[in-house]
Amino acid sequence: MTEIEIGRGKRGRRAYSFDDIAVVPSRRTRDPEEVSVAWQIDAYHFDLPVIGAPMDSVMSPETAIAFGRLGGLPVLDLEGLWTRYEDPAPLLAEIAALGPESATSRMQEIYAEEIKPELISARLKQIRDADITVAGALSPQRTQEHWKTVVDAGVDLFVIRGTTVSAEHVSGRAEPLNLKRFIYELDVPVIVGGAASYTAALHLMRTGAAGVLVGFGGGAAHTTRLTLGIHAPMASAIADVAAARRDYMDESGGRYVHVIADGGMGRSGEIIKAVACGADAVMLGAALARATEAPGRGYHWGPEAHHQQLPRGERVAVGALGSLEEILLGPGRVADGTTNLIGALKRAMATTGYSDLKEFQRVEVVVAPYQRS
Amino acid sequence: MTEIEIGRGKRGRRAYSFDDIAVVPSRRTRDPEEVSVAWQIDAYHFDLPVIGAPMDSVMSPETAIAFGRLGGLPVLDLEGLWTRYEDPAPLLAEIAALGPESATSRMQEIYAEEIKPELISARLKQIRDADITVAGALSPQRTQEHWKTVVDAGVDLFVIRGTTVSAEHVSGRAEPLNLKRFIYELDVPVIVGGAASYTAALHLMRTGAAGVLVGFGGGAAHTTRLTLGIHAPMASAIADVAAARRDYMDESGGRYVHVIADGGMGRSGEIIKAVACGADAVMLGAALARATEAPGRGYHWGPEAHHQQLPRGERVAVGALGSLEEILLGPGRVADGTTNLIGALKRAMATTGYSDLKEFQRVEVVVAPYQRS
Amino acid sequence: MTEIEIGRGKRGRRAYSFDDIAVVPSRRTRDPEEVSVAWQIDAYHFDLPVIGAPMDSVMSPETAIAFGRLGGLPVLDLEGLWTRYEDPAPLLAEIAALGPESATSRMQEIYAEEIKPELISARLKQIRDADITVAGALSPQRTQEHWKTVVDAGVDLFVIRGTTVSAEHVSGRAEPLNLKRFIYELDVPVIVGGAASYTAALHLMRTGAAGVLVGFGGGAAHTTRLTLGIHAPMASAIADVAAARRDYMDESGGRYVHVIADGGMGRSGEIIKAVACGADAVMLGAALARATEAPGRGYHWGPEAHHQQLPRGERVAVGALGSLEEILLGPGRVADGTTNLIGALKRAMATTGYSDLKEFQRVEVVVAPYQRS
Amino acid sequence: MTEIEIGRGKRGRRAYSFDDIAVVPSRRTRDPEEVSVAWQIDAYHFDLPVIGAPMDSVMSPETAIAFGRLGGLPVLDLEGLWTRYEDPAPLLAEIAALGPESATSRMQEIYAEEIKPELISARLKQIRDADITVAGALSPQRTQEHWKTVVDAGVDLFVIRGTTVSAEHVSGRAEPLNLKRFIYELDVPVIVGGAASYTAALHLMRTGAAGVLVGFGGGAAHTTRLTLGIHAPMASAIADVAAARRDYMDESGGRYVHVIADGGMGRSGEIIKAVACGADAVMLGAALARATEAPGRGYHWGPEAHHQQLPRGERVAVGALGSLEEILLGPGRVADGTTNLIGALKRAMATTGYSDLKEFQRVEVVVAPYQRS
């Protein structure tokens, strides 16, 4: 760990983003057809190591089903429009039509509507009926209120997702969520995060989580670096958490906790770098919001964009580039890393001579900051 | 201290700006409601660790009063329009209406008017009558001429502010201001600066100052890097001065001199990084000039902008984004770090698990230069 | 080798691009007229150390002949339009006229046409009849299918070129090309690549290749950094492969394998830096596609641009700046490094006091990242 | 000297430009009025440490006289329009009126005209008659041909200026200029350069030169980094040559050779950094070409712009900002470092507590790359 002296009274590590690094080919190559990108977490197997981010612009019950059929793991946001409104379609259309000056304040109004437990059950049922793996996400703040509804609705995987989720939350007002006890008592495997450092992730792993989301506001729709001064460059964050996985595996006598990169992967090159730094799978937002089927209709936003007091994200235009299938599996019709994400991942693995994701985590990388021209 | 060889005949330290660093979350989180941002200097307590910069575009007697009622410490520029003109309102309107090509030369004319001691007394009385903490600022060049007027008018805190203020000024023309004797003999606590290095700040602390302003032309309205080649990257400067505070506390047997970041904090993220580097409080210019009540009417400038021989700053358009209260306390209506500055500070402290400002000075930071896209 | 810790679980080297370095003059200077840029590989001598890239926008049989007469080594792409179509002229005109939105998909269609062995023979014969050195390129995937046609047509140099070519390709479907046996059994000297690291290049050298192409998608028409996350900054790649050349020369008892920089040299400054880092010769694409005679008619693209599943390059507009002779030998009419490439190389060598290319590989360079303004 | 491994086969130093560094204030300040910027070389004293660059856009006989009267040292280009044409005024007007596409080729034509010795004599006489220090510049290529004309015309200082001038030029065609013998035999003190490294400068100092120009194509009108790949970042180059000055003073038993920064100082901040790195004086081109009296009429170019075979510079628009006096001595009317250059230098020295140029060479600097926003 290289520590840099910022000034006499403060030191800090140098941290690297995806743009700072690149994968390098080595002495062996391989046929892309012989590369496997399969991923398994707990009892669930997926053809693609891709999780659909629980965001209203990305996952509706319909796109969740389509995405699951293509081989990924969809996660529905259980605090989004689908559990606040019986029919969110008109609101999604309205959001896509908002002018930039009024987008934030109108979204604050739309999301002020209450969450309805019966809608949580109905939405999850719709996905389960399609016979794909069912996963829903709550924020840590609302997990205690709604978890029972979620479990009763029959999820296969439970996701607790916030910008930062810690194993040790301090609150004087109420009994905070005790993650360790909660996960221990729950029958369902839990994916939890974001975490952005070795220590934070190690503590989350000790709660018994099946997977840890790595990230903090790195995505296209976040502005946390401007608003909070907080930033966790993804390459360093993933490499740190991957080290925590290894150390925790030793400490726990063999429990393998999945490292899931979450944020900042808008193009296939970034997905590839995420795995190269140690990710087992990736959670995609903007990259999937570009699908013609996506509920965002060419726009993308996260829960930070409609925070009632302190919005820390924006509704961003991402366009509608092609079908979900083209975006994931191709064929590519543009050369900018936005379509055939999986084809690109396989090609990168083949070009560097690796045959599965676990092996590819060892690929050589260089530090070579990207000069935007 | 890492020294870099620039060439065989010259070495220099690597210094870091706010854009070069970021705060990182750790293993603990906390409710934002349980975070305190209170600040106390000498006998004066403030709900907010924010000082209004003594600049004509930021602080009028009216905005000083409003800002004080919201919990900050306003400082009036005693060499600005309010002490040169009985009624500066028409001039402020004129400045806001100037075209870019004539702004500098017209401001040079407007500020050529004499300072009137009776106006110093009147403006300070107006603030004192509103029952808030009274503070006024002079430049070191004019402190000897006007300090008695200021003290007689009854200030609580005396601010001596220049781009660089040293404890040891050399002048052959007249007896220069002896800061140490001046501060010793004054009954009023003094905040003095800018200083931008460990040594400069340590010498200022030894004069008996209650607080040291850290900065040198880092603000939005300065061009000192272009004109003078001088630049003090704020993250390094604050961390250096924070180390001087610690060493001086030891040397003086426990005197705590406040470190006040001054410049370059146009967004909440930068305020947060300033505290993370060791600041006890922040002095804000452009960030407050964006208030609809601000005297600058959407523009911001400092004394450098109207220097008669060598202008080293510009009148910059900052817009009028919302009320002073919205800017400080929210609710935020945009997501770019310009509104709800205090909400963002509390959120950042909560997200990283800290409960007061002094603790938050220890938060982990990384070096991760910001790529503007 | 400086290794950087990206995060606790991952390390990587710092790698440098051409933009990161610059050549520095030293204590000696020389007349440009006394500098030699001659280059010899195997039995073939060239006045210029320049190879025309086997790309349809750069080399047609006609431009190959013109380029050979000017002193360079032209290489025809034997998988391009000239071996797929009897008369590719209308297709080249159509490609130059395509709108940006349809360019990729139309090129995918055009290049879906079969390669015709009789056209391989005919095109190579046309070049051989002009009495210049004959070279043709195949991808490793198609070498087994077409090599005999190529050899029978009578090439002097055989080029096997892909984005990454390794000495050890793993394939479960068919017997992959065994480079070592292939090169050993072939009568013709082989240039093979790209390779981008010491190890990859050393293994290619051990196959018996006469030259190794250094690069991976560094060219103007590639988007591999975006799509695959793969990037081999050229300055570091060349310096690495030059070290492999030295070590292999020792290991083999004196066999000198030529290091040929391939990609990212759009301007004379980059050609000069390539040699400064250790290249014996350069393979140029975009720089030659700017010739008025170039088949691309002001556009440039590589095989990645029309990949059927995963396009990883684009058709880029490069303009038509001057004749091939002006671009190579001047006189220059613009000052941006796009004309009189060889004059610039000679001038740089003279200014730094070197008289031939091999010596110039030792010139002093500095690391000084280029700030695009 | 920190050496960086670019790749296994190549190492290089990290070099720094003016944009990479900044001056930092320290614990002492001073009145600007008490700062001296006087400069003396050989028997010649100057109020300002500024040399007017021998370029047609900067120095005509008239501006040379005006500049000398303001306190600087003007140098006339003896290979420019003034010695090629009896009346260059119409040509200067034509150059200022050229469109960008034809500027280079038309300038190539204009400068193809022969140099006339009688005009050399006449131009220098005009300057001498005005009773200011007379200096003229030749390139090393033409020094042997014209030096006698120049000396006979009665120059006080002789300038030999090229992009790179070495003490050891190798030429097989004719006897090259032997700088050491030439300078030894000449009665007039010689300023020679550019040099950009410790060794190159040390060798030039050993020729007996009174001053060494530091630079290589760093100016606004050069494109050598693009065309030749050569670049000598100025901060490092000056610091290196300043070390050569110190070592040569020791070696020679006390001869002080002046270090003159030449190039890349378009704003006052860069002049200040040049002195901070060790320069005794600065040679200015673009900064003076901005004067309303400048012969370039709002444009600036150097001899590289009209090279017959390999143009390596461009005619750049610099505008006409104010009188030569305003640019040098103020008062400033803009805040971007283009006017009152000397006022800014004095202010920077005062702010950091230094009283003369030699002392100011020791000022503290930091490495803090400038992010252009």
Side-chain angles (χ1 to χ4, degrees):
Chain A
M1 255 198 339
T2 322
E3 283 247 315
I4 290 172
E5 190 190 70
I6 294 163
R8 295 200 189 190
K10 194 86 189 177
R11 303 179 72 83
R13 286 171 67 195
R14 178 71 171 88
Y16 297 91
S17 69
F18 289 138
D19 272 356
D20 288 325
I21 68 165
V23 167
V24 281
S26 190
R27 70 189 179 93
R28 190 178 290 126
T29 51
R30 191 177 289 274
D31 281 359
E33 294 75 16
E34 294 171 32
V35 160
S36 160
V37 296
W39 173 56
Q40 171 140 3
I41 181 167
D42 203 276
Y44 303 97
H45 174 276
F46 302 95
D47 290 347
L48 314 180
V50 182
I51 304 178
M55 300 167 89
D56 278 341
S57 52
V58 179
M59 285 286 129
S60 65
E62 286 77 20
T63 55
I65 292 165
F67 181 69
R69 289 190 176 141
L70 288 166
L73 165 60
V75 182
L76 194 71
D77 182 5
L78 301 178
E79 301 177 15
L81 295 177
W82 299 93
T83 58
R84 292 178 199 258
Y85 292 94
E86 185 67 43
D87 178 13
L91 294 162
L92 287 162
E94 185 189 347
I95 289 173
L98 287 172
E101 68 298 325
S102 57
T104 298
S105 53
R106 177 63 185 131
M107 287 169 76
Q108 287 175 326
E109 288 170 18
I110 290 173
Y111 281 90
E113 180 70 25
E114 289 289 291
I115 295 166
K116 301 176 180 57
E118 64 276 18
L119 285 177
I120 293 180
S121 310
R123 303 308 183 193
L124 292 173
K125 178 172 188 309
Q126 183 181 352
I127 296 171
R128 200 182 59 231
D129 290 350
D131 217 24
I132 63 162
T133 310
V134 180
L138 289 173
S139 65
Q141 289 78 13
R142 288 196 163 111
T143 293
Q144 282 176 307
E145 187 181 349
H146 296 298
W147 72 268
K148 203 157 179 330
T149 310
V150 175
V151 172
D152 289 350
V155 289
D156 299 310
L157 286 154
F158 194 107
V159 177
I160 301 177
R161 185 181 187 240
T163 43
T164 297
V165 175
S166 75
E168 186 181 346
H169 183 78
V170 181
S171 174
R173 291 189 305 175
E175 183 68 18
L177 178 66
N178 183 324
L179 265 181
K180 191 160 187 174
R181 197 168 60 202
F182 177 79
I183 290 174
Y184 179 79
E185 291 174 359
L186 206 68
D187 267 352
V188 177
V190 174
I191 294 171
V192 64
S197 70
Y198 175 89
T199 313
L202 188 62
H203 282 258
L204 285 182
M205 289 170 180
R206 287 176 181 157
T207 64
V212 170
L213 299 170
V214 182
F216 181 90
H222 285 247
T223 59
T224 47
R225 183 148 191 181
L226 287 179
T227 51
L228 300 192
I230 298 180
H231 182 54
M234 285 297 283
S236 292
I238 296 168
D240 272 9
V241 176
R245 176 184 61 204
R246 182 199 58 205
D247 293 354
Y248 176 68
M249 193 159 47
D250 185 57
E251 165 188 323
S252 67
R255 230 174 64 78
Y256 188 89
V257 182
H258 288 257
V259 173
I260 299 159
D262 177 12
M265 291 166 296
R267 295 166 190 267
S268 48
E270 291 144 358
I271 294 170
I272 289 159
K273 293 176 189 178
V275 180
C277 288
D280 296 292
V282 296
M283 179 176 271
L284 299 183
L288 301 181
R290 293 195 198 102
T292 44
E293 304 97 318
R297 302 171 187 218
Y299 287 91
H300 179 52
W301 64 91
E304 300 77 15
H306 49 74
H307 191 279
Q308 301 297 319
Q309 294 298 319
L310 186 68
R312 302 186 296 283
E314 286 171 348
R315 184 201 60 165
V316 291
V318 294
L321 299 190
S323 72
L324 195 53
E325 180 164 2
E326 283 175 315
I327 282 177
L328 285 168
L329 304 172
R333 293 280 173 239
V334 284
D336 60 359
T338 55
T339 54
N340 200 357
L341 304 177
I342 297 302
L345 172 58
K346 286 184 173 176
R347 168 73 51 175
M349 292 168 68
T351 293
T352 52
Y354 293 93
S355 61
D356 67 32
L357 292 170
K358 192 67 204 164
E359 276 186 9
F360 187 62
Q361 292 174 354
R362 296 199 312 261
V363 72
E364 188 184 346
V365 298
V366 290
V367 174
Y370 186 45
Q371 284 213 351
R372 298 176 189 282
S373 58
Chain B
M1 254 194 345
T2 321
E3 282 247 316
I4 291 171
E5 189 189 71
I6 294 163
R8 293 199 191 192
K10 195 84 189 178
R11 304 180 70 84
R13 285 171 67 195
R14 177 73 170 87
Y16 298 90
S17 69
F18 289 137
D19 272 357
D20 289 323
I21 67 164
V23 167
V24 279
S26 188
R27 69 186 179 94
R28 189 179 289 126
T29 50
R30 191 177 288 274
D31 281 0
E33 294 75 15
E34 294 172 31
V35 162
S36 161
V37 296
W39 174 56
Q40 171 140 2
I41 181 168
D42 202 277
Y44 304 96
H45 174 276
F46 302 95
D47 289 346
L48 314 179
V50 182
I51 304 178
M55 300 169 90
D56 278 342
S57 52
V58 179
M59 285 285 130
S60 64
E62 286 76 20
T63 54
I65 291 165
F67 181 68
R69 289 190 176 141
L70 287 167
L73 166 59
V75 181
L76 193 72
D77 182 5
L78 302 178
E79 301 176 15
L81 295 177
W82 299 92
T83 59
R84 293 178 197 259
Y85 293 94
E86 186 67 44
D87 178 15
L91 295 162
L92 288 162
E94 186 189 346
I95 289 173
L98 288 172
E101 68 299 324
S102 57
T104 297
S105 53
R106 178 62 186 133
M107 287 169 77
Q108 287 175 328
E109 287 170 19
I110 290 172
Y111 280 90
E113 180 68 25
E114 288 290 291
I115 295 167
K116 299 174 183 60
E118 64 275 17
L119 285 177
I120 293 181
S121 309
R123 303 311 183 193
L124 291 173
K125 179 173 186 310
Q126 185 182 350
I127 297 171
R128 201 182 59 230
D129 288 351
D131 218 24
I132 63 160
T133 309
V134 181
L138 289 173
S139 66
Q141 290 78 11
R142 287 197 163 112
T143 293
Q144 282 176 307
E145 188 181 346
H146 295 299
W147 72 267
K148 206 164 172 328
T149 310
V150 175
V151 171
D152 288 350
V155 289
D156 298 312
L157 287 154
F158 194 108
V159 177
I160 301 177
R161 184 179 187 241
T163 43
T164 297
V165 175
S166 75
E168 187 179 347
H169 183 76
V170 181
S171 174
R173 293 188 304 174
E175 182 69 19
L177 178 66
N178 182 323
L179 264 182
K180 191 160 186 176
R181 197 168 61 202
F182 177 78
I183 291 174
Y184 180 78
E185 291 174 357
L186 206 68
D187 267 353
V188 177
V190 174
I191 293 171
V192 64
S197 71
Y198 175 89
T199 312
L202 188 62
H203 282 258
L204 285 182
M205 289 170 179
R206 287 175 180 158
T207 65
V212 170
L213 299 170
V214 182
F216 181 89
H222 287 247
T223 59
T224 46
R225 184 149 192 181
L226 286 179
T227 52
L228 300 191
I230 298 180
H231 182 54
M234 285 298 283
S236 292
I238 297 168
D240 272 9
V241 176
R245 177 183 61 203
R246 181 198 58 204
D247 293 354
Y248 176 68
M249 193 159 46
D250 185 55
E251 164 188 323
S252 67
R255 230 174 66 77
Y256 188 90
V257 182
H258 288 257
V259 173
I260 299 159
D262 177 12
M265 292 165 296
R267 295 166 189 267
S268 48
E270 290 143 358
I271 295 170
I272 289 158
K273 292 176 190 178
V275 178
C277 288
D280 297 291
V282 296
M283 178 176 271
L284 299 184
L288 302 181
R290 292 194 198 103
T292 43
E293 303 98 317
R297 301 167 187 223
Y299 287 91
H300 179 52
W301 64 91
E304 301 77 15
H306 49 73
H307 191 279
Q308 301 297 319
Q309 293 299 318
L310 185 67
R312 303 187 295 283
E314 286 171 348
R315 184 200 59 164
V316 291
V318 294
L321 298 191
S323 70
L324 194 53
E325 180 165 1
E326 282 174 315
I327 283 178
L328 286 167
L329 304 173
R333 292 281 171 238
V334 284
D336 61 359
T338 56
T339 54
N340 200 357
L341 304 177
I342 297 301
L345 172 58
K346 287 184 172 176
R347 168 74 49 177
M349 293 168 68
T351 293
T352 52
Y354 293 94
S355 61
D356 66 34
L357 292 170
K358 192 66 206 166
E359 276 186 9
F360 187 63
Q361 292 174 354
R362 296 199 311 260
V363 72
E364 188 183 346
V365 299
V366 290
V367 174
Y370 186 45
Q371 284 213 351
R372 298 176 188 283
S373 57
Chain C
M1 255 193 345
T2 322
E3 283 246 315
I4 290 171
E5 188 189 73
I6 294 162
R8 294 199 190 191
K10 195 84 188 177
R11 304 179 71 83
R13 285 173 67 197
R14 177 71 171 87
Y16 297 91
S17 70
F18 289 138
D19 272 356
D20 288 325
I21 67 164
V23 168
V24 279
S26 188
R27 69 191 180 92
R28 191 180 288 125
T29 51
R30 192 176 289 274
D31 280 0
E33 294 75 15
E34 294 172 32
V35 160
S36 161
V37 297
W39 173 57
Q40 172 139 2
I41 181 167
D42 203 275
Y44 303 96
H45 173 276
F46 302 95
D47 290 347
L48 313 180
V50 182
I51 304 178
M55 300 167 89
D56 278 342
S57 51
V58 179
M59 285 286 128
S60 65
E62 287 76 20
T63 54
I65 291 165
F67 181 68
R69 290 191 175 140
L70 288 167
L73 165 59
V75 182
L76 194 71
D77 183 5
L78 301 177
E79 301 176 16
L81 295 178
W82 300 92
T83 59
R84 293 179 198 259
Y85 293 93
E86 186 66 45
D87 178 14
L91 294 162
L92 287 162
E94 186 189 347
I95 289 173
L98 287 172
E101 68 299 325
S102 57
T104 296
S105 55
R106 177 62 185 131
M107 288 169 75
Q108 287 175 328
E109 288 170 18
I110 290 172
Y111 280 91
E113 180 69 26
E114 287 290 291
I115 294 166
K116 300 174 181 59
E118 64 277 17
L119 285 177
I120 292 180
S121 310
R123 303 308 183 194
L124 290 173
K125 178 173 187 310
Q126 184 181 351
I127 296 171
R128 201 181 59 232
D129 290 350
D131 218 23
I132 62 160
T133 309
V134 180
L138 289 173
S139 66
Q141 289 78 13
R142 288 195 163 112
T143 293
Q144 282 177 307
E145 187 180 350
H146 296 299
W147 73 268
K148 204 161 175 331
T149 311
V150 176
V151 170
D152 289 350
V155 289
D156 300 310
L157 287 154
F158 194 107
V159 177
I160 301 176
R161 183 180 187 242
T163 43
T164 297
V165 175
S166 75
E168 186 181 346
H169 183 78
V170 182
S171 174
R173 293 187 303 174
E175 182 69 19
L177 178 65
N178 183 325
L179 264 182
K180 193 162 186 173
R181 197 167 60 201
F182 177 77
I183 290 174
Y184 180 79
E185 291 174 358
L186 206 67
D187 268 352
V188 177
V190 175
I191 293 171
V192 65
S197 70
Y198 174 90
T199 312
L202 188 63
H203 283 257
L204 285 182
M205 288 170 181
R206 287 175 180 156
T207 64
V212 169
L213 299 170
V214 182
F216 182 90
H222 286 247
T223 59
T224 47
R225 184 150 191 179
L226 287 178
T227 50
L228 300 192
I230 297 181
H231 182 55
M234 284 297 283
S236 292
I238 296 168
D240 272 9
V241 176
R245 176 184 60 201
R246 182 198 58 205
D247 293 353
Y248 176 69
M249 192 159 47
D250 184 56
E251 165 187 324
S252 66
R255 232 174 63 77
Y256 188 90
V257 182
H258 288 257
V259 173
I260 299 161
D262 177 11
M265 291 166 296
R267 295 166 189 266
S268 48
E270 289 143 359
I271 294 170
I272 289 158
K273 292 176 190 177
V275 180
C277 288
D280 296 292
V282 295
M283 178 175 272
L284 299 185
L288 302 180
R290 292 195 198 103
T292 44
E293 304 97 319
R297 302 170 187 218
Y299 287 91
H300 178 53
W301 64 92
E304 300 79 11
H306 48 75
H307 191 280
Q308 301 297 318
Q309 294 298 317
L310 185 68
R312 302 186 296 284
E314 285 172 349
R315 185 200 60 164
V316 291
V318 295
L321 298 190
S323 71
L324 195 53
E325 181 166 1
E326 282 174 316
I327 283 176
L328 285 168
L329 305 172
R333 293 279 172 240
V334 284
D336 61 359
T338 56
T339 55
N340 200 357
L341 305 177
I342 298 301
L345 173 58
K346 287 184 173 177
R347 168 74 50 176
M349 292 168 69
T351 293
T352 52
Y354 293 94
S355 61
D356 67 32
L357 291 169
K358 192 65 205 165
E359 276 185 10
F360 187 62
Q361 292 174 355
R362 297 199 310 262
V363 72
E364 188 184 347
V365 299
V366 290
V367 174
Y370 187 45
Q371 284 215 350
R372 299 176 189 280
S373 57
Chain D
M1 255 196 343
T2 322
E3 283 246 317
I4 290 171
E5 189 189 72
I6 294 162
R8 293 199 191 194
K10 194 85 188 175
R11 305 179 70 83
R13 285 172 67 197
R14 178 72 171 86
Y16 297 91
S17 70
F18 289 138
D19 272 357
D20 288 324
I21 67 164
V23 168
V24 280
S26 188
R27 68 188 180 94
R28 189 180 288 125
T29 50
R30 192 177 289 273
D31 281 0
E33 293 76 14
E34 294 171 31
V35 160
S36 162
V37 296
W39 173 56
Q40 172 140 1
I41 181 167
D42 203 276
Y44 303 96
H45 173 276
F46 302 94
D47 289 348
L48 313 180
V50 181
I51 303 178
M55 301 169 89
D56 279 341
S57 51
V58 179
M59 285 285 129
S60 65
E62 286 76 21
T63 54
I65 292 165
F67 181 68
R69 289 191 175 140
L70 288 167
L73 166 59
V75 183
L76 193 72
D77 182 5
L78 301 177
E79 301 176 15
L81 295 178
W82 299 92
T83 59
R84 293 179 198 257
Y85 292 94
E86 186 67 43
D87 179 15
L91 295 162
L92 287 163
E94 187 189 346
I95 289 173
L98 288 172
E101 68 299 326
S102 57
T104 296
S105 54
R106 178 61 186 133
M107 287 168 76
Q108 288 174 328
E109 288 170 17
I110 290 173
Y111 281 90
E113 180 69 25
E114 288 292 290
I115 295 167
K116 302 176 180 60
E118 63 277 16
L119 285 177
I120 293 182
S121 309
R123 303 308 185 195
L124 291 172
K125 179 173 184 309
Q126 184 182 351
I127 297 172
R128 201 182 59 231
D129 289 350
D131 217 25
I132 63 159
T133 309
V134 180
L138 290 173
S139 66
Q141 290 78 12
R142 288 195 163 113
T143 293
Q144 283 175 308
E145 187 181 349
H146 295 299
W147 73 268
K148 206 164 171 329
T149 311
V150 175
V151 170
D152 289 350
V155 289
D156 299 311
L157 288 155
F158 194 107
V159 177
I160 301 176
R161 184 180 187 241
T163 43
T164 297
V165 175
S166 75
E168 187 180 347
H169 183 77
V170 181
S171 174
R173 293 187 303 174
E175 182 69 18
L177 178 66
N178 182 324
L179 264 183
K180 192 161 187 175
R181 197 167 61 201
F182 177 78
I183 290 174
Y184 179 78
E185 292 173 358
L186 206 68
D187 267 354
V188 177
V190 175
I191 293 170
V192 64
S197 70
Y198 174 90
T199 313
L202 189 63
H203 282 258
L204 285 182
M205 288 171 182
R206 287 175 181 157
T207 65
V212 170
L213 299 170
V214 182
F216 182 89
H222 287 247
T223 59
T224 46
R225 184 149 193 180
L226 287 178
T227 51
L228 300 191
I230 298 181
H231 182 55
M234 284 298 283
S236 292
I238 296 168
D240 272 9
V241 177
R245 177 183 61 202
R246 183 198 57 203
D247 292 354
Y248 176 67
M249 193 159 47
D250 185 54
E251 164 187 324
S252 67
R255 231 174 64 76
Y256 188 90
V257 182
H258 288 257
V259 173
I260 299 160
D262 178 12
M265 291 165 296
R267 295 167 188 266
S268 47
E270 289 143 359
I271 295 171
I272 289 159
K273 292 176 189 177
V275 179
C277 287
D280 296 292
V282 295
M283 179 175 271
L284 300 184
L288 301 180
R290 291 194 199 104
T292 44
E293 303 98 318
R297 302 168 187 221
Y299 287 91
H300 178 53
W301 64 93
E304 300 77 14
H306 48 75
H307 191 280
Q308 301 297 319
Q309 294 299 319
L310 186 67
R312 304 186 294 284
E314 286 172 349
R315 184 199 59 162
V316 291
V318 295
L321 298 190
S323 71
L324 194 54
E325 181 166 0
E326 283 175 315
I327 283 176
L328 286 168
L329 304 174
R333 293 281 170 238
V334 284
D336 60 359
T338 56
T339 54
N340 200 357
L341 304 177
I342 297 301
L345 173 58
K346 286 184 173 176
R347 168 74 49 176
M349 292 168 69
T351 294
T352 52
Y354 292 94
S355 60
D356 67 33
L357 292 169
K358 192 66 207 167
E359 276 185 10
F360 187 63
Q361 292 173 354
R362 298 198 310 261
V363 73
E364 188 184 347
V365 299
V366 290
V367 174
Y370 187 45
Q371 285 213 351
R372 297 177 189 280
S373 56

